Amino acid sequence: SVKAHKEEDNPQKTMEVNGLTPVPDSYDYDLIVIGGGSGGLAAAKEAAKYEKKVMVLDFVTPTPQGSSWGLGGTCVNVGCIPKKLMHQAALLGQALQDSRKFGWQFTEEVKHNWMTMTESVQNYIGSLNWGYRVALRDTKVTYENAYGEFVGPHTIKATNKKGIEKLYTAERFIIATGERPRYLGIPGDKEYCISSDDLFSLPYCPGKTLVVGASYVALECAGFLAGLGLDVTVMVRSILLRGFDQDMANKIGEYMKEHGVNFIREFVPIKVEQVEEGTPGILKVTAKSTTGDQIIEGEYNTVLLAIGRDPCTRKIGLDKVGVNINEKTGKIPVNDEEQTNVPHIFAIGDILQGKLELTPVAIQAGRLLVRRLYAGATAKCDYVNVPTTVFTPLEYGACGYSEETAVEKFGEENIEVYHSHFWPLEWTVPSRDNNKCYAKIICNIQDNERVIGFHVLGPNAGEVTQGFAAAIKCGLTKEQLDSTIGIHPVCAEV
Amino acid sequence: MGWEEMQVRGYSEFVRTAQSYHGRPIFALFCGDKDAEGRSWCPDCVTAEPVVRKELHNLPDESVFIYCLVGDRAYWKDPNNEFRRNLKLTGVPTLLKYGTPQKLVEEECFKAELVRMLFTED
């Protein structure tokens, strides 16, 4: 913890002895970062490189079910990392089935043990939490496991889990508080439902699961749960993967349906009741149609809500320092230098209005921001043509415009879409689907048939997409793509 | 009751000792064997040991500190030795909190701040 400035003798000298440049105006820190997730940690570590005195405040308010986690934010603890590992667990299950056709012989039926998987995943996450703490301590970034909120223009109150409050001052602040899952606001939601915040550390197998939502979180979770052999139903209010290319979204849905995931379309839950206690217990869900008066009921062991995420910006004292937020969404508008309306307060990551909610984006924004603040750099974060991947059972990689957005922006007559189904060689022998994998590129006819959208649906979509993102950033045209000889036999050659 | 130290040599003795203290916080420092003059074949272990020992007074009450000599250099270099295989150790010295992913490896053990963090924080 920070000692109050009693060094009346020579505060400058104390700082210099510690290898830090003196903090202006007797603030405790040059920079306080609120939130120790992907963006926050990247920014803090970068600032430490320039010998700035930095503090990171990270605190996880436990979920209604009591789940909590260590330093590292959503991605590391309850997002990308455990998600991809569990997705991999499901893929391995599929691979085991395929392997028989490739000659592997095993007589036992293959079963999945949820606890074994979850313990391994949590153990890995624990090593990441620890690694971050070592990295921060080693680079002399002060880390406090405490809830930070503004109480004055340059002052933060940090409250730890024992309720002890401390005040810290800094010249500048970066808000990187991220988001948390939204609840439905219906009877029984907080008491009985879980969210992605709970799923990856659930101390029992979820069993028959209802996933509410049509986001990538909903579909990825539904996908791997089904892949592990569980009975999974997805309840969708309207469309799948809003904001993504709908042609691709529908193909993803179709694939999941054909591979054992049940879909209930155009319904929303209105009530969740407990039929039986247990780990898992039995829950009864009542749902109403969005297009009529029809009411349905269903029983499930687990109800997983994945209907969206809300920024953690309402209770951090932003009103006390005059930082504007979008009252409706909670998101923070910033300029192209991640600066809020208050010049010494910045924001990065999922909480930003109008920006992509992705770990690498937050990291890049955080690093570049800090370089601009302390190293005289000018580069700004490029939010255009950011590649993404959805890790549904059939993976979907994309970079650039969706077909709908391209049509809207350039006009249907000015874009050309090239597409193709493909059959991965690895899928031929085990007789897996021959018409599901799909790739398309969207080109701007008026700009040399420049590739403005790349979409691929198939195995290892993330790996495939990364290279194309670099090509698109360089201004790839259809002609250049055509003249690039393919690697054979791989999916990416399509 | 404060903390106590146990000195062991070799994998089996380590595991037996750790198991006998099940339920208490266990910290372990793994070093290369020492010769007749008390010097280890592992130079980093020679550097780390005094740093770690200086922080032992920070150990939480009831905890056990196991000082474990892993074996001679040839044993350690074998990629299949039991410490590597079962405890997933990748180098000596390694200082760890048994049963958790928290550990410090090699040069990390030279840093008093990190050792203190391992001993005192959750």
Side-chain angles (χ1 to χ4, degrees):
Chain A
S1 57
V2 175
K3 297 186 179 52
H5 279 265
K6 291 185 170 75
E7 306 114 2
E8 272 112 31
D9 297 331
N10 198 338
Q12 303 276 83
K13 184 144 188 204
T14 315
M15 298 282 190
E16 274 149 18
V17 160
N18 287 335
L20 301 162
T21 51
V23 180
D25 287 342
S26 73
Y27 291 123
D28 298 324
Y29 290 92
D30 290 303
L31 178 67
I32 291 181
V33 179
I34 315 176
S38 302
L41 290 180
K45 284 191 251 180
E46 189 70 23
K49 278 194 205 162
Y50 305 113
E51 280 159 28
K52 293 300 159 188
K53 192 149 187 259
V54 189
M55 162 176 264
V56 171
L57 294 170
D58 187 67
F59 191 82
V60 179
T61 305
T63 71
Q65 295 301 326
S67 306
S68 185
W69 48 88
L71 180 63
T74 294
C75 175
V76 162
N77 292 286
V78 289
C80 332
I81 301 291
K83 175 267 297 282
K84 185 96 190 295
L85 290 173
M86 293 197 178
H87 170 68
Q88 176 67 359
L91 289 178
L92 287 170
Q94 176 72 64
L96 283 166
Q97 297 308 324
D98 289 353
S99 72
R100 290 184 204 263
K101 294 277 177 65
F102 281 95
W104 289 99
Q105 296 175 329
F106 39 99
T107 49
E108 303 121 44
E109 205 193 291
V110 170
K111 288 190 314 236
H112 184 260
N113 184 315
W114 174 267
M115 289 313 304
T116 306
M117 173 185 72
T118 308
E119 275 169 23
S120 307
V121 169
Q122 286 303 315
N123 206 47
Y124 176 62
I125 291 173
S127 73
L128 292 179
N129 299 141
W130 174 251
Y132 285 125
R133 290 172 59 197
V134 169
L136 290 185
R137 188 61 68 93
D138 217 15
T139 50
K140 304 216 182 338
V141 172
T142 308
Y143 157 59
E144 290 247 339
N145 183 208
Y147 187 93
E149 46 192 316
F150 284 96
V151 291
H154 286 269
T155 310
I156 291 269
K157 176 174 78 172
T159 308
N160 71 9
K161 59 181 175 225
K162 298 196 172 116
I164 301 181
E165 295 174 1
K166 293 193 197 154
L167 296 178
Y168 300 110
T169 59
E171 190 192 2
R172 293 184 175 111
F173 299 86
I174 297 181
I175 307 167
T177 50
E179 302 181 304
R180 297 296 292 271
R182 190 180 300 150
Y183 279 78
L184 282 166
I186 60 170
D189 66 351
K190 292 202 172 138
E191 297 93 302
Y192 307 122
C193 300
I194 64 168
S195 72
S196 57
D197 281 356
D198 307 293
L199 181 64
F200 302 108
S201 56
L202 205 62
Y204 53 84
C205 181
K208 180 178 174 192
T209 303
L210 175 70
V211 178
V212 182
S215 54
Y216 71 80
V217 174
L219 297 186
E220 286 176 340
C221 291
F224 73 71
L225 289 173
L228 298 176
L230 303 179
D231 177 342
V232 178
T233 304
V234 181
M235 186 176 287
V236 176
R237 185 186 60 184
S238 64
I239 60 171
L240 298 178
L241 295 173
R242 184 179 303 275
F244 286 82
D245 184 297
Q246 284 300 291
D247 173 33
M248 306 305 284
N250 289 327
K251 289 183 168 19
I252 290 172
E254 281 306 310
Y255 183 88
M256 288 176 68
K257 212 158 84 180
E258 280 164 30
H259 288 265
V261 177
N262 306 302
F263 280 85
I264 298 179
R265 307 285 306 241
E266 299 186 327
F267 273 84
V268 289
I270 54 174
K271 188 168 54 169
V272 179
E273 296 163 289
Q274 187 176 61
V275 169
E276 209 179 280
E277 254 187 80
T279 53
I282 301 183
L283 300 173
K284 185 167 93 165
V285 178
T286 309
K288 183 169 183 306
S289 164
T290 59
T291 56
D293 288 324
Q294 198 194 355
I295 304 270
I296 56 171
E297 289 178 350
E299 285 193 356
Y300 305 91
N301 294 123
T302 298
V303 177
L304 171 68
L305 300 181
I307 56 168
R309 294 174 63 78
D310 292 319
C312 299
T313 51
R314 309 261 188 201
K315 296 188 192 158
I316 57 172
L318 293 184
D319 49 319
K320 299 208 173 64
V321 287
V323 171
N324 289 338
I325 66 171
N326 178 318
E327 277 308 321
K328 180 158 169 279
T329 62
K331 297 236 174 179
I332 302 184
V334 292
N335 63 18
D336 64 359
E337 296 187 324
E338 288 83 29
Q339 190 180 39
T340 67
N341 60 303
V342 177
H344 69 280
I345 300 179
F346 300 83
I348 55 176
D350 288 1
I351 55 174
L352 296 191
Q353 178 161 281
K355 303 283 198 277
L356 290 159
E357 297 178 22
L358 294 166
T359 281
V361 172
I363 292 175
Q364 179 82 326
R367 284 192 188 139
L368 293 182
L369 167 62
V370 165
R371 284 181 209 162
R372 290 194 305 270
L373 290 178
Y374 300 121
T378 51
K380 299 184 199 178
C381 188
D382 182 3
Y383 291 97
V384 168
N385 289 331
V386 174
T388 64
T389 297
V390 180
F391 293 97
T392 33
L394 192 57
E395 295 178 11
Y396 167 41
C399 182
Y401 289 97
S402 65
E403 202 171 324
E404 306 91 326
T405 316
V407 163
E408 204 184 296
K409 181 152 185 185
F410 298 96
E412 198 171 338
E413 62 289 1
N414 292 319
I415 63 163
E416 190 71 54
V417 179
Y418 297 92
H419 66 149
S420 173
H421 280 99
F422 60 93
W423 197 21
L425 181 63
E426 295 81 0
W427 288 22
T428 55
V429 164
S431 305
R432 289 175 62 187
D433 301 303
N434 65 353
N435 62 345
K436 290 292 184 291
C437 296
Y438 180 74
K440 78 178 173 187
I441 55 165
I442 302 165
C443 301
N444 182 352
I445 301 177
Q446 294 180 316
D447 180 19
N448 250 334
E449 276 214 300
R450 196 151 321 269
V451 177
I452 57 170
F454 169 90
H455 304 264
V456 66
L457 191 61
N460 304 306
E463 307 293 358
V464 172
T465 305
Q466 183 70 87
F468 283 97
I472 290 176
K473 204 168 171 74
C474 295
L476 181 73
T477 61
K478 175 70 164 60
E479 199 190 321
Q480 287 172 318
L481 190 57
D482 286 345
S483 67
T484 307
I485 299 182
I487 302 172
H488 183 75
V490 298
C491 296
E493 67 178 306
V494 74
Chain B
M1 159 223 242
W3 57 275
E4 60 182 283
E5 176 169 347
M6 295 295 301
Q7 300 203 347
V8 304
R9 198 180 166 280
Y11 182 75
S12 330
E13 207 188 332
F14 171 77
V15 171
R16 258 197 329 270
T17 310
Q19 280 171 354
S20 73
Y21 285 104
H22 180 70
R24 290 163 63 174
I26 300 171
F27 297 88
L29 177 64
F30 298 92
C31 292
D33 276 3
K34 291 177 168 173
D35 61 20
E37 278 89 51
R39 277 197 84 86
S40 176
W41 55 259
C42 161
D44 285 350
C45 303
V46 172
T47 311
E49 194 177 331
V51 176
V52 172
R53 290 201 169 278
K54 205 147 169 251
E55 296 298 322
L56 288 178
H57 68 275
N58 287 311
L59 283 173
D61 283 345
E62 303 278 321
S63 48
V64 181
F65 173 68
I66 304 180
Y67 178 77
C68 176
L69 295 178
V70 299
D72 62 25
R73 183 186 236 123
Y75 168 82
W76 181 252
K77 291 297 182 194
D78 172 12
N80 281 322
N81 76 54
E82 291 144 310
F83 289 100
R84 290 188 194 270
R85 246 197 3 250
N86 303 335
L87 283 178
K88 310 279 185 266
L89 295 197
T90 53
V92 279
T94 291
L95 177 67
L96 55 76
K97 187 169 180 179
Y98 191 64
T100 76
Q102 298 183 354
K103 64 178 180 177
L104 298 173
V105 180
E106 293 158 359
E107 312 85 50
E108 292 176 339
C109 301
F110 302 169
K111 300 177 182 174
E113 276 266 356
L114 297 183
V115 175
R116 200 175 312 138
M117 182 169 84
L118 181 71
F119 287 165
T120 61
E121 294 179 28
D122 258 327

